Amino acid sequence: MNFTDKFNGTDSYVATEDLTVAVNAAVTLERPLLVKGEPGTGKTELARQVSAALGLPMIEWHIKSTTKAQQGLYEYDAVSRLRDSQLGEECVHNVKNYIRKGKLWQAFHADGKSVLLIDEIDKADIEFPNDLLQELDRMEFYVYETGEMISAKHRPIVIITSNNEKELPDAFLRRCFFHYIRFPDMDTMKEIVEVHFPGLKEQLLTTALTQFYEIRETSGLKKKPSTSEVLDWLKLLLAEDLTPEDLRRDGANALPKLHGALLKNEQDVHLFERLAFMARGQR
């Protein structure tokens, strides 16, 4: 393999040692890197940072529930061709005018090596990963309408993200290098915050993060706040110029300040309201 650059994180992205090992192992093995983890832990951003760190162009394929694997290869626009034939257009005689290149085709025919992000693969139909097995393994596919075999000029670095909404097929998993992004511990989170809010006062940061982790560990919470949400919360705390004393909670006021940045459904808001009610009753 000619590509020897290593990923070691960037100034704007804190990558743990096991994450950098996973990225570089996938590159060395020339296998897709399958990244799982809670929503908001930086899976999608990882691909962008790998692209930036290695100086490679980025091709993003964001998967929806209606996305089909074929769309990543190419789409044949038969309707436009029929319309043009009825209008007597000359371009109708060349079928290539009606082939729309998908994200894999773009990555395969890029001028140099690229990073291909297949984002949230678990949103698609269960057959979606299986439908891409051969194409990702062999780095080629056949275009039936033109009789062409499209092969990768430069094998892209493929990063696939999943939020674990669906189990992925074993045959697909065998072809990937897997990494689970664990939720950051307090020290790692402080490093992440320092990147986004350099010079944040230590007492405010410690008070806020202690409260944040207490909220995450509250029994019965439906949706735990994520890394992206704690960053939003800290941005609001700074905008409101709140002090560590302002953040203190007691039994009568269990909801955190500006809780809308952390709690994203009414069940979790009601949970903290019930905790406050129970605390008042015990006084």
Side-chain angles (χ1 to χ4, degrees):
M1 186 182 68
N2 295 325
F3 189 78
T4 57
D5 287 357
K6 296 287 186 180
F7 174 70
N8 294 302
T10 68
D11 292 340
S12 58
Y13 187 88
V14 176
T16 58
E17 182 180 356
D18 58 342
L19 179 55
T20 60
V21 167
V23 171
N24 293 317
V27 172
T28 300
L29 293 172
E30 296 187 325
R31 290 190 178 276
L33 173 63
L34 175 61
V35 185
K36 291 187 179 182
E38 289 183 32
T41 49
K43 299 185 297 297
T44 302
E45 187 60 24
L46 170 65
R48 295 174 182 146
Q49 295 298 326
V50 169
S51 167
L54 301 182
L56 301 176
M58 175 85 173
I59 298 171
E60 301 187 30
W61 186 16
H62 299 285
I63 307 304
K64 301 177 182 178
S65 60
T66 56
T67 303
K68 302 299 180 186
Q70 180 64 32
Q71 294 171 300
L73 309 180
Y74 69 93
E75 293 183 273
Y76 170 52
D77 191 352
V79 173
S80 291
R81 193 180 190 193
L82 175 61
R83 184 187 63 239
D84 288 347
S85 68
Q86 292 170 339
L87 295 173
E89 299 286 352
E90 280 298 315
C91 58
V92 75
H93 300 295
N94 188 349
V95 69
K96 289 185 178 181
N97 293 324
Y98 303 94
I99 299 292
R100 296 178 180 172
K101 298 178 181 179
K103 299 296 185 180
L104 265 73
W105 191 331
Q106 294 173 32
F108 286 4
H109 275 201
D111 291 334
K113 201 171 188 68
S114 61
V115 175
L116 172 63
L117 168 66
I118 303 177
D119 198 30
E120 298 190 334
I121 194 172
D122 52 324
K123 280 188 175 179
D125 183 87
I126 188 62
E127 289 304 318
F128 181 94
N130 280 334
D131 291 342
L132 288 177
L133 281 179
Q134 298 302 320
E135 290 78 7
L136 290 176
D137 201 26
R138 297 179 181 174
M139 286 285 147
E140 63 181 18
F141 62 88
Y142 188 71
V143 182
Y144 292 94
E145 289 78 5
T146 64
E148 293 176 279
M149 179 66 79
I150 304 301
S151 301
K153 294 179 180 178
H154 306 275
R155 192 179 189 100
I157 297 172
V158 181
I159 297 178
I160 303 170
T161 72
S162 170
N163 287 326
N164 253 351
E165 291 183 13
K166 294 190 188 82
E167 287 295 322
L168 299 174
D170 288 345
F172 181 80
L173 295 175
R174 281 197 299 272
R175 288 166 167 82
C176 297
F177 190 91
F178 173 75
H179 182 73
Y180 183 86
I181 297 183
R182 294 180 178 82
F183 196 82
D185 58 23
M186 178 81 83
D187 290 338
T188 304
M189 187 65 80
K190 285 184 175 182
E191 290 183 47
I192 294 171
V193 171
E194 177 63 24
V195 167
H196 294 270
F197 307 107
L200 190 63
K201 291 181 179 178
E202 177 65 26
Q203 189 177 358
L204 176 62
L205 177 59
T206 300
T207 302
L209 289 185
T210 299
Q211 189 171 129
F212 169 73
Y213 281 98
E214 287 174 353
I215 292 168
R216 274 186 57 86
E217 296 306 316
T218 300
S219 179
L221 200 64
K222 183 176 181 181
K223 181 195 175 303
K224 294 182 178 182
S226 67
T227 304
S228 60
E229 287 159 342
V230 73
L231 293 174
D232 285 345
W233 187 50
L234 287 168
K235 185 176 181 179
L236 289 173
L237 299 184
L238 291 171
E240 295 293 326
D241 199 24
L242 298 182
T243 66
E245 290 71 27
D246 294 326
L247 297 183
R248 285 181 182 157
R249 297 182 297 161
D250 54 35
N253 185 21
L255 278 169
K257 297 285 187 183
L258 301 164
H259 63 268
L262 299 174
L263 305 177
K264 296 303 177 72
N265 59 69
E266 63 276 15
Q267 295 97 317
D268 289 342
V269 173
H270 291 161
L271 170 64
F272 281 92
E273 289 174 341
R274 286 197 302 274
L275 292 173
F277 178 77
M278 291 167 61
R280 287 195 298 269
Q282 293 173 358
R283 288 184 174 182

